[in-house]
Amino acid sequence: QYLHGLYLRGKEDYENSRLAFSQATTLEPDNPVYYAELSSAYRLLDDYQQAEHWLLIAVSVSGDAPEFHQLLATFYAQYGNNLSTDSLGSIQAAGEHLPPDPTLLSSIGWALYTMGDIPGALAKMDAALAINPYHPQSLYYKVGLLIESGQSEDALPLLERLAAIDSPYKEWATDILQELEQPTE
């Protein structure tokens, strides 16, 4: 069933792939890989709540194996903003298992921000910037958070840093800097 699920996924038959992985979990309920693949099947069907559910089960069945915590943290970094605030605690816990990767940390931070956890979001973004103070995505997310929460003055040095490096956000940062530096009438 597992191999059949992979085959069907390769054929982009996501619904039948999901069914095959579901069957694999029934036949061998102690294998966390099958739950992780079932989670991926739901993610490909844009059902992020079910994807999260089955990935949490994979972590549990694995006995909290680090590689499954890594999968969960990566999932939250990529898709956390598609989940409800009910997932906030799980996202915060998953963030504790992240490797020192600024992209993952800042993505988790943004997911936390979209769910209303501004202090948690800032902590993840600060951790990302501690690893690499010129990481474009981390700078972009932190600037966005600061501006949206009315802290434009605190965003200025980060905007200047972002505008000074070659990144997809350079033009955006330059435009925002110009807007913020113009006197209000």
Side-chain angles (χ1 to χ4, degrees), residues 25-147:
T25 64
T26 301
L27 293 170
E28 195 175 333
D30 294 335
N31 191 329
V33 171
Y34 297 163
Y35 294 103
E37 292 299 342
L38 182 56
S39 170
S40 293
Y42 275 107
R43 181 185 47 78
L44 290 168
L45 292 167
D46 296 327
D47 188 341
Y48 300 107
Q49 272 69 32
Q50 283 297 312
E52 175 192 29
H53 170 78
W54 291 107
L55 203 46
L56 286 167
I57 290 175
V59 169
S60 177
V61 169
S62 77
D64 288 324
E67 58 270 23
F68 289 95
H69 275 290
Q70 175 69 32
L71 283 173
L72 183 62
T74 302
F75 170 79
Y76 284 138
Q78 294 174 337
Y79 304 103
N81 60 330
N82 293 309
L83 299 170
S84 71
T85 55
D86 296 339
S87 298
L88 185 58
S90 297
I91 291 174
Q92 291 165 330
E96 301 308 315
H97 297 278
L98 287 174
D101 179 316
T103 300
L104 285 175
L105 287 166
S106 63
S107 294
I108 287 278
W110 190 254
L112 290 171
Y113 171 68
T114 63
M115 294 184 168
D117 181 6
I118 293 174
L122 285 171
K124 293 297 178 213
M125 291 176 194
D126 288 342
L129 290 169
I131 295 167
N132 180 354
Y134 291 92
H135 185 256
Q137 177 182 300
S138 301
L139 289 167
Y140 175 74
Y141 282 165
K142 186 164 183 185
V143 164
L145 183 154
L146 291 172
I147 290 173

